[in-house]
Amino acid sequence: MAAQADGALGGTAVAEGRWLRVGDHEIDIARRVVSRPGDGGTFRLTLKSLQVLLALVEAEGRVVSREQLLATVWPNTLPTDDVLTQAVAQLRRAFEDSREAPRYIETIAKGGYRLLATPAWILPEAEAAVPAPVVQETAPPPQEAAPVPPPARGPGGGTARASVLALALVAIVSLVAVLFPWPSRGPAAVAAAGAPAEVPPPVRYQAIASTPMFEQAPALSPDGSLVVFSRQAHPGGPHALYLQPPAEASARQLTFPGDGAGDQLPAWSRDGRRIAFVRSGAGGCRLMVVAASGGGEREVGRCEDGHFAPFDWSPDGTALVMGGCSGGPDQAAPLRRLDLATGRWEALPYEGAGIETLPRYSPDGQWLGFRRGTSLGDLWLVPAAGGTPRQLTRLHGDIRGWDWLPDGSGLVFSLIKGEARLYRLALADGAIAELPPLARGNPIHPDIADDAWAMAFEIYRFHSGLYAFGLDGATESGAHAEPVFASSGVDMTPAISPDGSTLAFVSDRSLAAQLWIGEIAQPQTLRAVPGIVPVPRHPPVWSPDGRRLLVIGATGKGGDRLFEVDVGLDTVRVLPVPGVPAFAAYPAEPDQLLVGVDGDAGRMRLVRYQLPDWRELASLDDVAVARYDRHGDRVCFTRPARAGLWCADPSLGKVAELSRTTPLPDQFREWAITGGRIFSTGPAPGCATAWTEIGGKDGEPVRCMSRMHTVVAGSTSVDEAARRVYLSLPLEQNIDVGWASLEPLRPPAPAGASD
């Protein structure tokens, strides 16, 4: 796979200088940032687009053929022509150029491309005089791809997802929200449907920490003057916490975890004097507190059952509140409180717990908000003193972080609904408005200062490819990987047909999220299926005869629907599933269907339907994802908040526990069924992606698929003969820290008011 990874930028070009001027634009080579003249802002290039530009610069005005560019920028791969078209299109957007009347890049019919503008290297000695550009992200044009990452896995058995995939490609989806009355100091608000569209406020984004290492889980101090985040001290080393003012480029190390341990998920106390965080690895999993000025690290409690997740300080600073740990056989995962004085955990006093995560206290300390549900989640709130939770949104979406605005007038959340975007919810009228998108990358896990209108967030950038592994040759030292339908975009959720001949998957290689189908032995058969915008949380599901596919797709009306694709004709029809579907499977009976639908309190229900009237025959609660085992005539599934795997009879009546430990909750999709056997593609010691049988014989050797790369979430498929497994693996990924002033969101002061 080394041949698939992005290479160096080109020795000749980079050696001449760090800055390049093309026409009246300047390019920071190291950061891949194009500075536009005047007040035009900046534009972030992909690595491939920059490599194409450098190849055109080196040609000194000569025409460079498409074949030469493909061979230079995508060596040792089988790229499609659209990857080059995409790269050139991004360069034209960066230079504000036109294909019809070009000033920078000219298209030569049946020839290639030529650079029209005069390039000039800015010498290193002049570099100090060049102001560093501010990375002001601009809105992408229609159908620009914005891939979303797979979840980063925490060490051990925790669910420390400081970042994320599910994933996202481009899908133009309307956001429809139904809000419950807001029991706050402001007027009650009920929006029966989505609020009217608004012009996005002029929020400007900056990347303030952007090293090659992952900078994760940023949190702003209450006054907004400092950001703390988790980062490796050196490549391959443990994570530690770092402090950095938003206006500066250098960070100082705050914590020193020691050998075999790592620090993550920092959170500021309300007084700004302390930072709590999770330390896991050597010594187990512990909640720690450190002085914001540095030093005095101390343990305040142990992780409950080894579990950890994002948390918040109580308003009085005496406790930490965390959610997401299964509380018993009913699979509820209630919010829990860690008392800092005693180190003991206790359940918070509220009614009807579901799968709760991402707790956040309101600025006045009167309310506690949280996300209920996982991939089909919503925001809820409960009085801080306890009581009955109320549902705040009806998004049924993948919410990747949220926080209150400083005055409590609303909140900002990240939602993956086709792609990751930031949204503002105004509590006065229930309106939901989209904030300006990033030009490149996915904004997730926003964190807003308590007393300043400023926000930090993660910027996740991602590129993945599909690979086939021969299981017969897999050993503990690794397996041979063969690229499949290679591209420079995000390829994921592969599904191999029952006979092993045809692969269906989701990709943004055409600059939009589409379902692609092609025969492995005949790459020229690869084509996109029109009429569907797939939501790639789970792979497509083949019918037993290989003629149809079940796919979850987005609709222009905001809700996800279940589609059935006729593979021979590439026709698409909507299946009228009651409720909001998340996944589906074909059982043995041709007139029945298994569907995971959104249930009460954010819990997923697995329902067996009788067709064509969609009559409910049986159901199971708290199912994260289910798959049908044709050989064993059973339905196997994982739970959303508990490690393990269960199987039920076809009627969903009798349930047996197959494993108590595998897969872990944050790997609930990383398993596959073939020939009546169930395999996991989770990590193993010394191996990022291993192939092991769940419930198999003890002592069987682990077959390592990839030592370096963790499989993209939900992207495992194996043929019926268990000869080849297909995986989506990350080829390029990085997480940076972004920052933005939220002053444009501040409500105007009442007439006559003064600071």
Side-chain angles (χ1 to χ4, degrees):
M1 282 185 293
Q4 293 288 325
D6 289 322
L9 291 177
T12 304
V14 177
E16 293 191 42
R18 182 172 175 266
W19 286 76
L20 172 68
R21 181 179 291 113
V22 178
D24 52 2
H25 290 64
E26 292 180 352
I27 300 96
D28 182 339
I29 298 298
R31 298 174 62 204
R32 308 197 304 275
V33 172
V34 178
S35 297
R36 292 167 171 168
D39 295 328
T42 61
F43 192 100
R44 185 73 175 264
L45 295 174
T46 65
L47 183 56
K48 293 302 186 184
S49 294
L50 180 58
Q51 289 175 315
V52 170
L53 175 62
L54 294 177
L56 296 176
V57 168
E58 292 178 354
E60 299 178 341
R62 298 187 302 274
V63 176
V64 184
S65 69
R66 293 181 65 89
E67 291 75 16
Q68 183 178 348
L69 287 170
L70 289 170
T72 301
V73 180
W74 290 270
N76 304 316
T77 66
L78 297 174
T80 57
D81 285 347
D82 61 74
V83 300
L84 177 56
T85 302
Q86 177 181 346
V88 173
Q90 192 192 57
L91 290 174
R92 286 193 171 118
R93 291 195 295 271
F95 294 135
E96 300 167 295
D97 199 17
S98 168
R99 188 181 190 278
E100 292 70 27
R103 296 179 298 114
Y104 284 81
I105 299 175
E106 180 184 17
T107 299
I108 308 300
K110 299 182 180 180
Y113 299 97
R114 180 164 66 95
L115 186 65
L116 299 178
T118 302
W121 289 99
I122 301 175
L123 299 178
E125 51 264 31
E127 185 175 337
V130 180
V134 173
V135 182
Q136 176 191 352
E137 306 285 3
T138 56
Q143 303 219 347
E144 182 176 11
V148 174
R153 307 187 190 282
T159 56
R161 298 190 179 198
S163 40
V164 202
L165 202 127
L167 76 132
L169 310 155
V170 167
I172 302 175
V173 182
S174 300
L175 179 63
V176 179
V178 179
L179 302 180
F180 274 40
W182 174 248
S184 180
R185 51 196 172 189
V190 179
E198 296 181 7
V199 176
V203 175
R204 298 164 60 94
Y205 304 114
Q206 293 176 261
I208 62 173
S210 54
T211 70
M213 293 174 286
F214 288 7
E215 289 95 4
Q216 297 175 282
L220 276 174
S221 59
D223 63 2
S225 65
L226 289 171
V227 60
V228 61
F229 55 86
S230 175
R231 185 177 72 192
Q232 289 175 303
H234 54 81
H239 280 75
L241 300 188
Y242 288 78
L243 273 176
Q244 175 182 323
E248 298 181 10
S250 60
R252 67 177 178 88
Q253 189 169 344
L254 177 66
T255 64
F256 300 85
D259 294 338
D263 297 341
Q264 52 197 302
L265 298 180
W268 291 85
S269 62
R270 289 294 178 100
D271 59 10
R273 297 179 180 179
R274 296 169 292 168
I275 298 173
F277 60 96
V278 173
R279 175 167 290 172
S280 60
C285 180
R286 297 167 286 167
L287 276 298
M288 308 285 293
V289 169
V290 63
S293 57
E297 297 179 16
R298 63 186 180 91
E299 179 181 329
V300 294
R302 307 290 293 187
C303 300
E304 191 176 27
D305 297 328
H307 164 90
F308 60 93
F311 59 90
D312 195 16
W313 285 78
S314 64
D316 60 6
T318 64
L320 304 177
V321 174
M322 183 183 293
C325 185
S326 177
D330 62 352
Q331 296 301 308
L335 297 173
R336 300 183 69 81
R337 179 181 184 273
L338 174 67
D339 184 85
L340 299 184
T342 64
R344 295 178 180 174
W345 290 93
E346 59 184 4
L348 290 183
Y350 68 98
E351 302 171 4
I355 308 298
E356 331 282 44
T357 54
L358 305 179
R360 294 280 194 177
Y361 281 96
S362 62
D364 61 6
Q366 299 300 306
W367 299 95
L368 177 59
F370 55 90
R371 181 185 70 185
R372 174 171 286 180
T374 52
S375 58
L376 294 180
D378 274 292
L379 297 178
W380 290 62
L381 62 110
V382 66
T388 302
R390 300 193 181 190
Q391 190 168 354
L392 179 60
T393 68
R394 290 192 181 275
L395 301 169
H396 299 292
D398 192 354
I399 298 172
R400 295 301 178 94
W402 72 282
D403 205 356
W404 299 85
L405 291 172
D407 64 351
S409 64
L411 52 91
V412 171
F413 61 90
S414 173
L415 178 70
I416 295 178
K417 196 70 173 177
E419 60 180 326
R421 292 288 180 88
L422 294 173
Y423 297 85
R424 173 192 58 182
L425 167 62
L427 300 178
D429 58 4
I432 292 179
E434 180 180 330
L435 299 186
L438 273 67
R440 181 172 180 265
N442 294 273
I444 55 177
H445 302 301
D447 186 275
I448 300 174
D450 290 336
D451 306 316
W453 288 79
M455 173 179 67
F457 55 93
E458 288 184 8
I459 305 174
Y460 200 106
R461 301 182 177 97
F462 183 68
H463 160 49
S464 65
L466 300 179
Y467 292 88
F469 294 83
L471 292 174
D472 291 340
T475 66
E476 293 185 30
S477 60
H480 174 65
E482 301 174 18
V484 180
F485 301 129
S487 78
S488 64
V490 173
D491 300 335
M492 63 184 317
T493 61
I496 190 68
S497 60
D499 63 2
S501 67
T502 306
L503 194 69
F505 60 97
V506 175
S507 175
D508 68 347
R509 59 181 62 206
S510 62
L511 300 187
Q514 289 185 285
L515 174 68
W516 291 77
I517 302 175
E519 296 179 31
I520 300 294
Q522 302 183 56
Q524 70 275 12
T525 63
L526 184 66
R527 75 275 187 192
V529 177
I532 182 173
V533 180
V535 177
R537 285 191 295 265
H538 302 287
V541 176
W542 288 88
S543 63
D545 58 9
R547 297 180 179 179
R548 292 163 294 151
L549 283 169
L550 293 174
V551 183
I552 301 295
T555 68
K557 297 181 180 180
D560 295 345
R561 304 302 299 169
L562 179 61
F563 295 80
E564 188 171 53
V565 178
D566 186 307
V567 176
L569 301 175
D570 287 356
T571 56
V572 177
R573 69 186 183 103
V574 178
L575 301 181
V577 179
V580 180
F583 60 86
Y586 291 104
E589 295 77 9
D591 60 346
Q592 296 183 15
L593 208 61
L594 293 163
V595 185
V597 297
D598 187 27
D600 295 333
R603 302 179 185 180
M604 196 73 64
R605 295 174 63 233
L606 173 63
V607 181
R608 190 179 187 100
Y609 288 107
Q610 177 70 54
L611 306 181
D613 58 354
W614 295 93
R615 178 167 51 90
E616 185 172 318
L617 300 176
S619 68
L620 282 174
D621 289 333
D622 299 303
V623 175
V625 63
R627 291 161 186 159
Y628 178 66
D629 177 12
R630 298 172 191 161
H631 290 263
D633 191 24
R634 56 182 178 170
V635 180
C636 298
F637 58 92
T638 52
R639 302 280 194 184
R642 181 189 293 185
L645 190 139
W646 292 259
C647 292
D649 60 31
S651 65
L652 306 184
K654 184 179 180 181
V655 176
E657 185 180 67
L658 188 65
S659 169
R660 292 189 176 185
T661 58
T662 306
L664 296 171
D666 62 343
Q667 298 156 17
F668 70 96
R669 290 175 285 185
E670 313 330 320
W671 55 283
I673 301 178
T674 180
R677 302 166 69 189
I678 304 176
F679 295 87
S680 165
T681 48
C687 182
T689 299
W691 183 256
T692 56
E693 184 173 359
I694 298 177
K697 297 178 181 179
D698 294 337
E700 287 190 358
V702 172
R703 288 177 283 187
C704 187
M705 300 290 102
S706 176
R707 289 195 170 277
M708 298 298 297
H709 298 289
T710 300
V711 63
V712 174
S715 292
T716 300
S717 183
V718 61
D719 61 24
E720 288 289 325
R723 301 294 298 273
R724 286 162 67 88
V725 61
Y726 295 84
L727 305 175
S728 173
L729 298 176
L731 300 179
E732 177 190 23
Q733 59 180 330
N734 193 25
I735 305 174
D736 295 332
V737 174
W739 181 90
S741 170
L742 296 182
E743 286 295 334
L745 304 186
R746 184 199 288 261
S754 59
D755 293 336

